[in-house]
Amino acid sequence: MGRSKCCDEEGLKKGPWTHEEDQKLLSFIDKHGCGSWRGLPAKAGLQRCGKSCRLRWINYLRPDIKRGKFSLQEERTIIHLHALLGNRWSAIATYLPSRTDNEIKNYWNSRLKKRLTKMGIDPMTHKPNGAAGSSKYVANLSHMAEWESARLEAEARLVRKSKIFFNNNNNSHNYNINPTTISQQLPYYQQLPCLDILKAWQTTTTKLPTIHDISHAILLNNSRNKNLESSIPSTLNSSENIFANNVPTTTKVGDDHQNFHNLSTINSCFEDDQLQTELPSFMQDFSGVFPEYTQNSTNGLQVDNIMGSFYGDFEDNKLINWNNFPNYLVNSPIGSPVF
DNA sequence: AAAGCATACAACCGCGTTTTC
DNA sequence: CGAAAACGCGGTTGTATGCTT
């Protein structure tokens, strides 16, 4: 029963790989491809266990690995994803295709975590130290993470399929979304940010998303869309917009001070000039939802300090126009298994 | 110049899950 | 269906390198 006896690991070499070993492994994989790690070392003439060979290939020798300094965009993606998914490095790595989970994990542990700590932010909860946590917020984030986890798994399966689909169907759209919207569509990868996280989250709660939730999802998906060639058609029908049964249709910005603080602290990890440039940009994308912002945004956002104000041009009595929000969701380029 | 400390990152280890027989 | 191997993931360790005193 079962498989044949596993390789005997006694006498196998451990520790850092030499250039010669790398060449042997590369040469073998070049000729025979990777996989069947168990038998690979003997065939390649290596005194290593298959597990060690696999790790060396995946984390170091693979040709599609991007090495070197992490960009600000990548840093931001990691921080936002970590806030959402926790220490699920392989899931986070799917949003940074050229980076390995090991590299992201190391980068987080050696730099980002310390940087957040220095700034008075708990790297695990992504909340300011000492601040009273909002259990409701944490619960919502947890819901989002669960759905996002499921979506990630499904998306991974669908990515390959979708690429073939789009290659073969460039001129024959047949998706279950608003045809009026379709006629105005840019290619999927050029559309407004995907908001499937919010869509998924919406299935778990009747509460309207906060500005924090929206901003978080927008930033996350903007960065993902820049990094991932994922073009899966949405299956969301326009009549199924997430706000169909929700009231009120507007929310006072001032109701969300706590969440503003959360977003503010996350984004305070970045240079102010970047924040000043990029945050207004995505707010402008959502001009229908944030009318007050676009009308009064000449001065950009104000970020004074770590706990600084993110309110910018928002005032307590300004309203978010939730009625316009479904339009953005319908335009979402990436499908979700839960819709 | 050298010792001690900090940092970065490659690699290992253990464990849960999946696959194969 | 169960057992065992293989795989994949996250936590941790070891070591090289850089910095400070």
Side-chain angles (χ1 to χ4, degrees), chain A residues 247-260:
Chain A
V247 287
T249 55
T250 57
T251 296
K252 283 187 180 181
V253 171
D255 293 342
D256 266 330
H257 279 194
Q258 178 57 46
N259 286 333
F260 263 106

Side-chain angles (χ1 to χ4, degrees), chain A residues 33 55 234 251 270 277 296 299 313 324 332:
Chain A
L55 214 62
S234 171
T251 296
F270 307 99
T277 302
N296 302 287
N299 293 325
D313 293 310
N324 287 345
S332 173

Side-chain angles (χ1 to χ4, degrees), chain A residues 25-296:
Chain A
L25 183 55
L26 277 170
S27 171
F28 183 86
I29 290 175
D30 187 46
K31 287 176 187 166
H32 305 95
C34 58
S36 304
W37 296 107
R38 180 189 162 211
L40 186 148
K43 292 175 188 170
L46 289 162
Q47 298 297 309
R48 298 270 183 174
C49 70
K51 196 172 181 175
S52 179
C53 293
R54 175 183 158 272
L55 214 62
R56 183 65 178 172
W57 169 253
I58 289 174
N59 287 335
Y60 198 84
L61 295 176
R62 244 172 48 202
D64 57 327
I65 289 177
K66 174 183 171 185
R67 310 201 69 82
K69 196 185 173 193
F70 279 72
S71 68
L72 286 173
Q73 182 68 42
E74 287 174 315
E75 287 188 2
R76 185 165 66 179
T77 300
I78 293 168
I79 291 172
H80 278 275
L81 285 167
H82 188 271
L84 196 61
L85 302 172
N87 293 354
R88 299 165 73 175
W89 307 114
S90 62
I92 292 171
T94 64
Y95 287 82
L96 298 162
S98 303
R99 303 288 190 180
T100 68
D101 54 357
N102 200 42
E103 195 177 12
I104 293 168
K105 178 177 62 180
N106 283 332
Y107 193 69
W108 171 265
N109 285 329
S110 64
R111 299 195 193 180
L112 296 180
K113 193 162 80 173
K114 289 172 186 172
R115 196 189 305 173
L116 287 171
T117 303
K118 274 184 183 176
M119 300 177 87
I121 300 166
D122 184 334
M124 297 316 292
T125 63
H126 292 253
K127 290 171 170 292
N129 283 327
S134 161
S135 59
K136 204 173 179 182
Y137 169 78
V138 171
N140 283 339
L141 211 57
S142 174
H143 274 304
M144 292 170 72
E146 286 176 22
W147 280 112
E148 175 62 359
S149 175
R151 195 196 61 70
L152 273 169
E153 290 170 14
E155 186 173 295
R157 289 195 298 272
L158 286 169
V159 162
R160 199 183 304 116
K161 226 176 175 179
S162 69
K163 283 181 177 171
I164 296 167
F165 177 86
F166 270 81
N167 284 339
N168 297 334
N169 296 277
N170 280 337
N171 301 313
S172 57
H173 294 86
N174 186 29
Y175 316 130
N176 185 25
I177 56 179
N178 190 330
T180 306
T181 308
I182 283 286
S183 67
Q184 300 166 349
Q185 276 178 354
L186 293 167
Y188 277 96
Y189 55 84
Q190 292 180 12
Q191 289 178 10
L192 279 171
C194 157
L195 295 173
D196 40 343
I197 292 171
L198 283 174
K199 291 177 193 173
W201 171 64
Q202 181 64 21
T203 67
T204 68
T205 174
T206 57
K207 178 181 172 293
L208 285 167
T210 65
I211 288 178
H212 171 267
D213 298 323
I214 297 167
S215 306
H216 197 131
I218 294 167
L219 286 169
L220 183 57
N221 284 289
N222 272 349
S223 63
R224 180 176 57 175
N225 289 344
K226 285 178 187 172
N227 290 324
L228 184 65
E229 274 191 6
S230 179
S231 308
I232 303 170
S234 171
T235 54
L236 178 68
N237 188 297
S238 61
S239 66
E240 298 174 286
N241 84 64
I242 65 170
F243 299 109
N245 300 314
N246 280 320
V247 287
T249 55
T250 57
T251 296
K252 283 187 180 181
V253 171
D255 293 342
D256 266 330
H257 279 194
Q258 178 57 46
N259 286 333
F260 263 106
H261 277 300
N262 292 331
L263 181 62
S264 172
T265 51
I266 288 170
N267 284 294
S268 64
C269 303
F270 307 99
E271 299 299 327
D272 281 1
D273 56 349
Q274 185 193 24
L275 199 62
Q276 295 287 345
T277 302
E278 298 197 19
L279 280 179
S281 165
F282 82 73
M283 285 298 191
Q284 293 285 359
D285 284 344
F286 284 74
S287 56
V289 179
F290 304 108
E292 300 288 351
Y293 173 78
T294 56
Q295 287 167 17
N296 302 287

